[in-house]
Amino acid sequence: MNELSELLGDEKEIDIKKTIENVKYFFKVKYDKLLMLASEDQLQGIRYDKLKVSSSPINNIESTQLKRIKAQGYLNNINQCINSLDPLKAKVLRYRLIDNKMMIEVESIIGYSHKSTYRIFNNACYEFAQRLKLLADIDLLEYKE
């Protein structure tokens, strides 16, 4: 059982409030950066003739392209995590954190009360953080001391 706990990372108690804040911060700051990086123009081709690879400006282009591909992979993992949530939780999370809708707008779209929408949103954030850690090795979970 110890190996399983270690594999799943459930040996520590999670601070749910801080985890939710981490998810909000992630989408506010880091998600937009991933989107920008992932949407960079694709390379048309790279020429290696007559250039030193170690000092080539092409290395910078390759590095940027590799970062773009990695960012796209992270975005795919993030979308998989969102899509694996309950459909209502996925909608609320997308509306609030990706579409940047105000909570009152989300409430009117889904037809739930203010309190219920916040509960759904908080649960979605918490579940998203758990799934993201397992799938993409991005740890947004905050642990209690």
Side-chain angles (χ1 to χ4, degrees), residues 6 20 22-23 29 50 118 123 132:
E6 193 174 304
I20 292 167
N22 288 348
V23 171
V29 176
K50 299 181 184 178
Y118 266 100
N123 287 336
L132 191 63

Side-chain angles (χ1 to χ4, degrees), residues 3-98:
E3 277 185 48
L4 179 61
S5 292
E6 193 174 304
L7 173 68
L8 299 176
D10 59 3
E11 67 277 353
K12 298 177 186 175
E13 187 177 358
I14 297 171
D15 186 327
I16 296 172
K17 287 184 180 185
K18 287 183 180 176
T19 295
I20 292 167
E21 289 304 313
N22 288 348
V23 171
K24 290 180 194 177
Y25 176 81
F26 175 81
F27 276 98
K28 185 175 182 179
V29 176
K30 296 188 178 191
Y31 184 78
D32 287 340
K33 288 180 182 178
L34 283 172
L35 284 174
M36 285 189 293
L37 185 59
S39 66
E40 290 289 321
D41 292 335
Q42 292 189 6
L43 293 176
Q44 299 300 319
I46 300 173
R47 293 190 50 184
Y48 291 99
D49 57 334
K50 299 181 184 178
L51 292 172
K52 291 182 180 178
V53 176
S54 62
S55 63
S56 169
I58 292 176
N59 282 346
N60 190 30
I61 295 169
E62 288 177 355
S63 174
T64 301
Q65 185 68 358
L66 289 173
K67 287 178 184 178
R68 186 181 73 73
I69 291 168
K70 197 169 197 175
Q72 288 174 341
Y74 278 122
L75 289 172
N76 286 336
N77 287 338
I78 290 165
N79 283 324
Q80 285 179 3
C81 289
I82 293 170
N83 292 336
S84 70
L85 295 172
D86 171 80
L88 181 61
K89 290 177 184 174
K91 277 184 188 177
V92 170
L93 192 91
R94 280 188 198 281
Y95 287 147
R96 187 70 182 108
L97 297 178
I98 295 175

